[in-house]
Amino acid sequence: MRAVISVVGKDRTGILAFVATECAKRNINIVDVSQKTLQELFTMIMIVEIPEDKDSSAITELEQLGEQQALKIHVMHEDIFNAMHTI
Amino acid sequence: MRQINADNILETIRMIEEENLDIRTITMGISLLDCADSDIDRSCQKIKKKITEKAKNLVSVAKEIQQEYGIPIINQRITVTPISLLLSASGGDPVKYAKALDEAAKEVGASFIGGYSALVQKGMTEAEKALILSIPRALSETDIVCASVNVGSSKAGINMDAVSLLGRVVKECATLTRDRNCIACSKLVIFCNAVEDNPFMAGGFHGISEPDCVINTGVSGPGVVRNAIRKAGKSASMDEIAEIIKKTAFKITRMGQLVGRQASERLNVPFGIVDLSLAPTPAVGDSVAHILEEIGLETCGGPGTTAALAMLNDAVKKGGVMASSSVGGLSGAFIPVSEDAGMISAAEKGVLSIEKLEAMTCVCSVGLDMVIIPGETSAETISAIIADEAAIGMVNTKTTACRLIPAIGRKPGEHLVFGGLMGEGPVMSVKQTDASVMINRGGRIPSPLHSLKN
């Protein structure tokens, strides 16, 4: 499925690398990345392709890994945004 | 692929994380008409079999969707055909049905099951009367069964025999569960113009015009609406505020529709409706009263409340209708007292009274909901309140309902605490004047004229 990964946390070295590595380990293909830091706050939005067979396990793992690293990681199906923000 | 805007993504995440946006319920409606049997035990067995088969994956599918889509889904519920219809065929002790429903729903992990119901707006059969009289026992001897009775409609008028009976039933529900905060009363809704596809509890049942099995969703999000209004500032005009509410309601409904369709596909059950109701919870930031206060009232319940609520309710519906072609159920703003932090505090301050709540129910869904009244209130007075509320629904061609909780042994100003989604609240004062002569007359209030409207 195509999903949106959002990452929010205190800015430091290696956040992007960390998330990208974890995605690669799970065979998650990154399609698009946009990233900003506002003062100390790091925010990143990734559009990714998650292989069909790993949907829920990959999502839970990524979100838990985020917590361990003091990052808020959300993985949400792309359809949510299409439904809510387009007519 | 359409490019998704980063601001939209952050907005959605904020709605869920900070503003308590959630899917309040995925409700599976199951028809039990084919379970009717002349033997009540066989009928109960068939019911259990059908419910546990149809709904066996309901909870797991909801979890799956919650995870994939990142949206909290709070409840999974079941509604069934009004049990009075099955009772007509089988006879016997109606409470057996309540217990069968309770067991079946618990087995599949549902949080509530609704449909211990009777539709008696025009008249009562013996079975319907027996079911109504059994409600206090049914609700006090089961945990998650919800009961509802439709006593009036714009087409049929109000069945005052049933209203008279229900005053006593409400009182008995409270008395039987007096040591459990009169909890049975929170599971009984008395309707006028009840809808057949309501996914919300306690008034949900699966109407007889519905298909064999259907998935309905209920979305919520008072916090999202409130924050959107706050952002508009104090200088925005009322039509601008209405526009903001409409747009917000649109987004929320779209999410409900998406989740409902997903659930229906995965369960292989047709999709019914999205009920877009601003359903508050006692959590901070999840209150309909606070929306009204954000619009510009010092306290909910004061002058201006009815007008603000009328606008809110209408704007919510307009946004919802644009977002989904299958909006149904009750759709609007709920105003339960004990389940809404803002309502609780307004009632505690003495600003929100039952009379004002009654006026508010003229313009919104759904009625005098979770209103705690003094335990000394007589059955006739409770019947009279039910009749008043039903009359509002009958004349205005809208759904109204009563979920009254007589707090046995408590007086106005004292508190009753239910906990969880049911919340807590102060006992509100009721004018203890005698309406017994009118209530004991029984009979039927004829249906109103639908022309010459002035």
Side-chain angles (χ1 to χ4, degrees):
Chain A
M1 70 176 192
R2 202 184 265 262
V4 174
I5 301 182
S6 67
V7 184
V8 180
K10 196 164 175 282
D11 191 29
R12 60 184 153 79
T13 318
I15 299 181
L16 204 163
F18 165 73
V19 179
T21 313
E22 294 301 331
C23 283
K25 275 188 206 163
R26 287 166 184 75
N27 211 12
I28 296 173
N29 182 32
I30 299 172
V31 182
D32 189 13
V33 183
S34 80
Q35 183 238 295
K36 250 187 244 170
T37 39
L38 282 169
Q39 283 143 3
E40 292 269 276
L41 193 70
F42 172 95
T43 56
M44 176 167 71
I45 291 164
M46 283 175 160
I47 315 279
V48 298
E49 274 308 339
I50 302 180
E52 290 302 330
D53 55 328
K54 319 201 149 173
D55 283 4
S56 46
S57 60
I59 291 170
T60 332
E61 283 167 21
L62 279 175
E63 292 185 345
Q64 280 167 357
L65 282 167
E67 264 171 50
Q68 290 162 19
Q69 299 279 325
L71 295 168
K72 263 198 173 167
I73 300 186
H74 284 279
V75 187
M76 295 169 85
H77 199 292
E78 177 205 42
D79 283 353
I80 286 279
F81 305 99
N82 290 334
M84 284 180 80
H85 300 284
T86 54
I87 294 181
Chain B
M1 171 210 154
R2 245 184 322 244
Q3 197 59 47
I4 311 168
N5 178 326
D7 289 341
N8 290 345
I9 293 173
L10 293 174
E11 183 188 357
T12 303
I13 292 169
R14 197 190 58 239
M15 283 179 176
I16 293 167
E17 280 284 293
E18 293 166 23
E19 299 167 359
N20 297 321
L21 176 60
D22 55 44
I23 302 290
R24 183 54 50 82
T25 176
I26 295 184
T27 303
M28 179 181 269
I30 304 172
S31 168
L32 298 183
L33 288 172
D34 54 354
C35 301
D37 197 295
S38 57
D39 179 82
I40 188 165
D41 294 315
R42 242 185 349 247
S43 189
C44 286
Q45 271 170 15
K46 285 188 195 168
I47 288 178
K48 274 202 250 176
K49 184 159 174 278
K50 182 155 188 191
I51 294 174
T52 48
E53 261 171 30
K54 290 273 178 198
K56 65 172 187 285
N57 294 327
L58 178 64
V59 174
S60 60
V61 163
K63 287 227 168 75
E64 211 175 279
I65 297 174
Q66 166 165 316
Q67 198 163 43
E68 259 174 55
Y69 285 79
I71 285 176
I73 299 172
I74 310 297
N75 290 301
Q76 295 85 43
R77 296 166 173 169
I78 298 168
T79 55
V80 296
T81 309
I83 291 296
S84 63
L85 299 174
L86 280 79
L87 189 65
S88 304
S90 70
D93 179 12
V95 176
K96 282 189 177 173
Y97 282 114
K99 290 187 172 158
L101 294 177
D102 202 48
E103 283 165 25
K106 282 176 182 164
E107 192 179 322
V108 297
S111 46
F112 277 113
I113 180 161
Y116 198 75
S117 308
L119 312 176
V120 297
Q121 58 270 33
K122 192 91 176 275
M124 280 182 280
T125 62
E126 280 308 311
E128 282 162 344
K129 192 169 177 185
L131 182 117
I132 292 174
L133 289 171
S134 76
I135 287 174
R137 267 174 57 228
L139 296 185
S140 56
E141 290 172 24
T142 59
D143 298 311
I144 56 175
V145 172
C146 293
S148 56
V149 180
N150 191 58
V151 296
S153 77
S154 298
K155 285 220 163 109
I158 301 172
N159 181 346
M160 290 299 286
D161 291 324
V163 169
S164 163
L165 215 55
L166 280 157
R168 297 204 293 276
V169 166
V170 169
K171 197 81 195 260
E172 206 183 321
C173 280
T175 313
L176 281 181
T177 49
R178 61 190 301 167
D179 51 350
R180 286 183 280 155
N181 290 315
C182 311
I183 192 75
C185 293
S186 70
K187 296 181 285 182
L188 169 61
V189 183
I190 300 152
F191 278 112
C192 177
N193 290 322
V195 293
E196 299 201 318
D197 51 8
N198 170 16
F200 284 100
M201 290 297 161
F205 63 89
H206 186 71
I208 48 167
S209 61
E210 294 281 309
D212 188 51
C213 190
V214 72
I215 286 290
N216 298 323
T217 49
V219 285
S220 170
V224 180
V225 174
R226 183 194 184 187
N227 272 1
I229 298 172
R230 182 188 292 154
K231 260 184 248 147
K234 295 221 186 308
S235 60
S237 67
M238 282 299 265
D239 45 315
E240 283 165 349
I241 297 290
E243 193 62 29
I244 290 167
I245 296 171
K246 232 165 75 179
K247 284 182 180 153
T248 312
F250 174 86
K251 290 176 189 168
I252 300 174
T253 311
R254 289 291 275 235
M255 197 180 82
Q257 161 133 327
L258 176 71
V259 169
R261 289 225 176 271
Q262 277 299 321
S264 111
E265 261 171 42
R266 291 177 196 201
L267 289 163
N268 200 19
V269 167
F271 178 61
I273 54 101
V274 187
D275 185 324
L276 169 65
S277 283
L278 296 180
T281 68
V284 176
D286 212 11
S287 153
V288 170
H290 287 154
I291 298 179
L292 302 176
E293 291 170 7
E294 198 63 52
I295 291 175
L297 304 170
E298 185 189 330
T299 309
C300 173
T305 305
T306 313
L309 185 59
M311 184 271 274
L312 171 67
N313 198 56
D314 180 66
V316 166
K317 284 184 207 287
K318 284 174 179 162
V321 167
M322 173 74 187
S324 165
S325 49
S326 44
V327 169
L330 297 167
S331 287
F334 287 168
I335 50 167
V337 178
S338 77
E339 298 172 357
D340 185 311
M343 296 281 176
I344 297 169
S345 91
E348 276 168 352
K349 282 184 205 157
V351 178
L352 186 66
S353 65
I354 289 202
E355 289 75 17
K356 188 64 185 179
L357 275 169
E358 200 179 305
M360 289 158 74
T361 64
C362 299
V363 298
C364 86
S365 50
V366 85
L368 293 177
D369 194 10
M370 293 300 281
V371 176
I372 304 164
I373 58 176
E376 59 178 14
T377 313
S378 71
E380 287 80 13
T381 304
I382 295 173
S383 290
I385 298 174
I386 295 169
D388 280 348
E389 198 51 41
I392 291 174
M394 174 183 73
V395 169
N396 294 312
T397 335
K398 73 182 285 294
T399 307
T400 52
C402 275
R403 189 156 50 140
L404 302 169
I405 297 127
I408 304 296
R410 289 189 167 83
K411 295 200 158 41
E414 288 183 64
H415 253 78
L416 204 59
V417 181
F418 306 109
L421 282 179
M422 302 283 189
E424 59 169 285
V427 179
M428 297 173 80
S429 65
V430 170
K431 294 200 176 77
Q432 302 291 342
T433 52
D434 185 19
S436 58
V437 174
M438 180 180 102
I439 296 304
N440 292 333
R441 285 181 196 273
R444 193 158 58 87
I445 296 183
S447 62
L449 192 64
H450 289 289
S451 59
L452 301 174
K453 293 218 170 192
N454 289 302

